[in-house]
């Protein structure tokens, strides 16, 4: 019996290749109808109304939080699933030991079985999107087909989604194909598959963030990093900010920290009262694409147009801008709710949760009220310090690249790499305590080179070689630094106040880029000289500051031996120059 064709509202001007892709998906998945997203406000509201109808969305208090809604994920689907995420290349070596690998033919077979008939009775949404300013030569497009209205609505906030993207695809002729279905939300039938050689992503069985919003980690990092390597640019897990000095000069800084380690908060930093005249402008909070520019500098764009940010910890003292930004027109995922329908999370001083993130009456015995990886989705335009440069087609020139991790010990507050290749080693050596952003144990130190462990779409050995090779493509490379906001004392308290006070570290970094700020040389790199870090109005004792800026040679010898072992695990793909940098640090450590 022939299956009836689904109803579709395909626009007359849809590019043929996109129509053919949608037909292919529809033939296999058998949706009841097909909706081509145009990205309009009416469409967004329609998606929300539909989710309400289906019981997938809770309306929050519209007096205190106009336009805000809550989505509760399936409790088994609240974070990225790294063990179910695969890079499927013809040669397993190209994916590298840093990725789970599956043969592309096997992966296609597996995924076709899962997708077969999975959209019966459902609507298939066609979500054309553009990563990057719509008229930027650096932007890249994709089409995500999904049976989740939650995904379609989130993609509308997170990307330049709809008609303009579809038109650009018509001009480009090329796009990343993203297959997505929530399936049965069964963890045993859940896979996030990447086929970089085919510019294709297939994601099944999850509706959550990085697993399902395919423009984000799947496209803008895993697939893009693969493309970037062959095309001579970089796709990185970096926030991007403009720092305006009291003299009125703006410097652009990119920072790579692992998931839930402070990118959003740094990108939205509010200067402390004791540092008048400084201003921070947010370009991006999660992903940056870096390109050699025409003037010999490295230029960055943020491919996204919204934030999918960590909610817990957000309050008027840690991040007033973020707190204000998410009081209207925000989609919350997995937060708790107060008696009068306001969203609530740990770290908020006001309010009392009555319903937890799973929709149960709140009981402390069940753990936190909001899920530790609860998130907000909001358009970047709502950020009161959103940089006017976010739509600049050519991006912004980067002065400094900052790596960081969450480490209770060892890594000092800040240090500077001696040069680019040493900086690549510093990035490759990043380690950080795991967080709730991915399923699995929290608080375990693991190596997370360039904060890209879960996101690099190819062999780390090749990736480091690509980083080193940028020295031949960019005349005036950014200076490279490492920071750690998360050192703790023996009672577990943070040694550094963090948040707005991190501006002191940024000021030193900019000073170094200008050749002004004083530094002392140590075996691991340059640290602020005594007095070089601005401590005016800072409530940190001299002893604590000394501890934050100390280098324990014995502990670093152990660390570097571990790094050596780690680099060796990538076999002959690890560049010899990187090992030489490491040997140099080891020699300096004695
Ligand atoms: P992803 O979106 O997962 O990539 O994370 P992110 O790097 O953007 O992390 P985010 O800024 O959302 O911070 C995650 C957590 O770290 C939040 O709970 C913050 O409150 C906390 N945090 C951020 N900056 C600081 C800091 O300077 N000091 C301390 N102690 N905590 C911080
Ligand atoms: C991260 O985990 O680094 C995130 C959230 O930014 S997700 O979109 O789920 O990847
Ligand atoms: Mn991230």
């Amino acid at each position: 019996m022939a299956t009836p064709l689904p109803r579709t509202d395909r626009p007359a001007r849809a590019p043929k290749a996109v129509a053919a892709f949608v037909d292919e998906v529809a033939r296999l998945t058998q949706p009841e109808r097909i909706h081509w997203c145009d990205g309009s406000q009416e469409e967004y509201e329609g998606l929300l109304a539909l989710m309400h109808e289906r019981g997938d969305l809770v309306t929050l208090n519209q007096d205190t939080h106009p336009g805000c809604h809550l989505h509760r994920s399936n409790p088994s689907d609240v974070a990225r699933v790294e063990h179910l995420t695969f890079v499927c290349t013809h040669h397993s070596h190209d994916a590298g030991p840093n990725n789970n690998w599956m043969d592309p033919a096997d992966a296609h077979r597996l995924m076709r079985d899962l997708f077969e008939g999975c959209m019966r009775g459902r609507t298939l949404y066609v979500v054309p999107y553009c990563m990057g300013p719509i008229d930027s030569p650096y932007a890249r497009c994709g089409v995500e087909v999904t049976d989740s209205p939650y995904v379609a609505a989130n993609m509308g906030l997170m990307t330049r989604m709809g008609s303009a993207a579809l038109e650009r695809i018509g001009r480009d002729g090329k796009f990343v194909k993203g297959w997505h279905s929530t399936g049965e939300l069964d963890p045993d039938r859940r896979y996030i598959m990447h086929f970089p050689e085919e510019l294709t992503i297939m994601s099944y069985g999850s509706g959550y963030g990085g697993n399902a919003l395919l423009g984000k980690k799947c496209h803008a990092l895993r697939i893009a990093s693969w493309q970037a390597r062959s095309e001579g640019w970089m796709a990185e897990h970096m926030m991007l900010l403009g720092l305006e000095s009291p003299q009125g000069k703006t410097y652009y800084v990119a920072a790579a920290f692992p998931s839930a380690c402070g990118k959003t908060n740094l990108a939205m930093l509010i200067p402390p009262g004791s540092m008048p005249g400084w201003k921070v402008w947010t370009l991006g909070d999660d992903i940056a694409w870096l390109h050699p520019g025409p003037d010999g500098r490295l230029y960055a764009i943020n491919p996204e147009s919204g934030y999918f940010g960590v909610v817990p910890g957000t309050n008027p003292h840690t991040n007033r801008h973020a707190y204000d930004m998410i009081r209207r027109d925000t989609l919350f995922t997995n937060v708790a709710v107060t008696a009068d329908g306001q969203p609530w999370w740990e770290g908020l001083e006001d309010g009392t949760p009555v319903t937890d993130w799973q929709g149960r009456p709140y009981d402390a015995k069940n753990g936190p009220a909001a899920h530790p990886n609860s998130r907000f989705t909001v358009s970047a335009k709502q950020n009161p310090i959103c940089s006017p440069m976010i739509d600049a087609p050519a991006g912004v020139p980067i002065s400094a690249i900052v790596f960081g991790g969450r480490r209770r010990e060892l890594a000092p507050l800040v240090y500077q790499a001696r040069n680019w290749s040493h900086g690549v080693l510093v990035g490759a050596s990043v380690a950080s305590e795991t967080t709730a952003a991915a399923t699995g144990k929290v608080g375990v130190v693991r190596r997370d080179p360039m904060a890209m462990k879960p996101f690099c779409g190819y062999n780390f050995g090749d990736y480091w070689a690509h980083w080193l090779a940028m020295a031949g493509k960019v005349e005036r490379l950014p200076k490279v630094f490492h920071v750690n906001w998360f050192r703790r004392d023996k009672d577990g308290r943070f040694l550094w106040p963090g948040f707005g006070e991190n501006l002191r570290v940024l000021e030193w970094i900019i000073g170094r880029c200008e050749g002004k700020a004083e530094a002392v040389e140590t075996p691991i790199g340059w640290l602020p000289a005594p007095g070089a870090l601005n401590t005016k109005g800072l409530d940190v004792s001299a002893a604590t500051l000394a501890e934050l800026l100390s280098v324990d040679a014995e502990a670093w010898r152990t660390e570097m031996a571990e790094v050596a072992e780690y680099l060796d695990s990538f076999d002959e793909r690890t560049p010899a120059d990187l090992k030489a940098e490491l040997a140099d640090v080891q020699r300096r450590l004695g």
Side-chain angles (χ1 to χ4, degrees):
M1 193 182 75
T3 26
L5 288 172
R7 272 187 295 133
T8 177
D9 58 3
R10 179 163 88 204
R13 290 173 55 195
K16 273 206 182 70
V18 179
F21 168 52
V22 173
D23 285 349
E24 182 194 352
V25 178
R27 261 196 307 275
L28 186 66
T29 62
Q30 301 283 314
E32 185 174 307
R33 59 182 288 267
I34 300 176
H35 172 67
W36 288 66
C37 292
D38 61 13
S40 65
Q41 183 62 26
E42 303 76 71
E43 177 180 82
Y44 176 76
E45 282 161 19
L47 290 166
L48 298 193
L50 177 73
M51 283 190 274
H52 276 294
E53 227 171 86
R54 296 178 11 171
D56 283 349
L57 205 65
V58 175
T59 302
L60 294 166
N61 187 322
Q62 295 297 294
D63 294 328
T64 57
H65 291 76
C68 292
H69 304 268
L70 163 65
H71 173 75
R72 295 193 183 106
S73 305
N74 184 300
S76 75
D77 187 32
V78 293
R80 282 182 295 98
V81 280
E82 295 180 1
H83 62 296
L84 302 174
T85 300
F86 288 75
V87 170
C88 309
T89 46
H90 281 98
H91 301 287
S92 62
H93 262 42
D94 291 335
N98 44 307
N99 282 301
N100 301 312
W101 176 83
M102 200 181 289
D103 182 85
D106 294 340
H108 274 301
R109 216 170 297 124
L110 175 72
M111 297 311 280
R112 294 194 91 80
D113 281 351
L114 291 171
F115 274 99
E116 193 176 354
C118 74
M119 295 191 193
R120 279 198 192 105
R122 300 185 185 182
T123 297
L124 180 163
Y125 298 93
V126 181
V127 184
Y129 62 87
C130 178
M131 303 309 291
I134 200 91
D135 51 356
S136 168
Y138 302 142
R140 297 298 167 93
C141 293
V143 176
E144 174 168 1
V145 289
T146 177
D147 54 13
S148 163
Y150 169 80
V151 165
N154 274 270
M155 286 290 286
L157 295 172
M158 295 298 299
T159 70
R160 288 138 177 115
M161 187 274 268
S163 310
L166 197 60
E167 270 165 42
R168 178 162 170 156
I169 291 170
R171 292 195 299 276
D172 290 353
K174 202 162 142 182
F175 61 98
V176 169
K177 294 174 179 157
W179 298 57
H180 174 255
S181 172
T182 50
E184 308 80 20
L185 294 176
D186 174 358
D188 291 331
R189 286 163 61 80
R190 179 176 295 161
Y191 291 98
I192 324 296
M193 297 283 190
H194 303 76
F195 304 88
E197 291 151 333
E198 303 164 35
L199 301 187
T200 297
I201 303 155
M202 297 180 98
S203 165
Y204 189 90
S206 167
Y208 190 83
N211 300 331
L213 311 177
L214 301 187
K216 197 173 178 58
K217 298 301 171 33
C218 300
H219 178 164
L221 288 178
R222 297 194 192 95
I223 299 285
S225 63
W226 174 283
Q227 291 182 292
R229 179 190 171 217
S230 68
E231 296 169 8
W233 53 284
M234 306 162 93
E236 300 297 332
H237 191 205
M238 291 176 175
M239 70 93 227
L240 193 58
L241 63 77
L243 178 57
E244 189 180 327
S245 72
Q247 290 73 40
K249 189 166 174 200
T250 301
Y251 303 82
Y252 295 97
V253 177
F257 307 158
S259 301
C261 288
K263 290 183 301 300
T264 304
N265 280 277
L266 185 64
M268 298 184 70
L269 183 149
I270 300 174
S274 51
M275 295 181 72
W278 289 90
K279 270 192 211 142
V280 167
W281 300 99
T282 315
L283 272 297
D285 82 326
D286 199 47
I287 298 174
W289 286 354
L290 315 177
H291 286 261
D295 61 353
R297 297 187 72 184
L298 192 62
Y299 280 72
I301 62 163
N302 168 17
E304 302 187 283
S305 67
Y307 312 132
F308 184 64
V310 174
V311 178
T314 307
N315 69 48
H317 307 294
T318 53
N319 191 336
R320 172 98 234 172
H321 290 329
Y323 179 78
D324 290 344
M325 173 176 73
I326 61 179
R327 286 193 76 101
R328 68 171 178 97
D329 300 315
T330 299
L331 293 182
F332 288 89
T333 300
N334 299 336
V335 295
V337 183
T338 65
D340 65 344
Q342 298 192 48
W344 194 93
W345 53 85
E346 275 67 21
L348 208 58
E349 282 121 355
D350 300 332
T352 312
V354 297
T355 309
D356 76 3
W357 64 274
Q358 298 192 49
R360 304 172 299 191
Y362 172 61
D363 183 341
K365 280 203 296 288
N366 291 332
H371 190 277
N373 190 36
S374 51
R375 299 263 168 175
F376 54 76
T377 317
V378 66
S379 162
K381 295 271 151 71
Q382 275 179 222
N383 176 359
I385 56 165
C386 183
S387 167
M389 295 297 282
I390 58 157
D391 290 318
V396 293
I398 298 300
S399 296
I401 286 178
V402 184
F403 294 113
R406 185 184 281 271
R407 298 206 63 177
R408 50 182 69 226
E409 287 166 350
L410 190 77
L413 180 62
V414 59
Y415 64 99
Q416 181 186 1
R418 271 188 302 281
N419 51 40
W420 180 256
S421 52
H422 179 226
V424 176
L425 175 69
V426 169
S429 312
V430 167
S432 192
E433 292 157 29
T434 51
T435 66
T439 56
K441 254 204 163 130
V442 168
V444 189
V445 175
R446 72 159 179 182
R447 304 239 79 90
D448 193 349
M450 282 83 172
M452 284 286 278
K453 167 70 188 68
F455 309 122
C456 183
Y458 62 102
N459 193 315
F460 261 152
D462 297 330
Y463 173 76
W464 298 321
H466 181 51
W467 266 81
L468 290 170
M470 291 310 285
K473 301 186 175 84
V474 180
E475 223 168 284
R476 285 184 293 151
L477 281 161
K479 302 275 185 279
V480 182
F481 299 82
H482 187 284
V483 301
N484 178 17
W485 315 140
F486 299 96
R487 281 283 289 272
R488 302 208 197 204
D489 66 15
K490 54 185 189 320
D491 301 318
R493 280 182 302 246
F494 290 112
L495 289 176
W496 177 250
F499 300 101
E501 305 294 350
N502 294 335
L503 178 59
R504 299 171 190 279
V505 174
L506 290 181
E507 183 187 14
W508 183 77
I509 286 174
I510 290 310
R512 291 297 294 166
C513 295
E514 289 280 25
K516 285 185 194 142
E518 295 284 338
V520 286
E521 192 170 11
T522 78
I524 62 165
W526 296 87
L527 265 76
L533 200 69
N534 176 355
T535 53
K536 191 169 159 255
L538 176 70
D539 189 19
V540 172
S541 74
T544 299
L545 205 61
E547 193 178 341
L548 282 165
L549 295 176
S550 62
V551 177
D552 177 345
E554 185 53 48
W556 274 99
R557 276 193 286 273
T558 308
E559 176 78 0
M560 284 298 131
E562 281 175 34
V563 171
E565 212 174 291
Y566 182 70
L567 296 188
D568 279 339
S569 70
F570 294 87
D571 301 334
E572 77 287 355
R573 301 251 181 159
T574 303
D577 287 355
L578 193 63
K579 293 193 186 183
E581 282 296 338
L582 178 77
D584 188 47
V585 175
Q586 289 183 308
R587 188 184 51 74
R588 286 164 195 266
L589 283 163

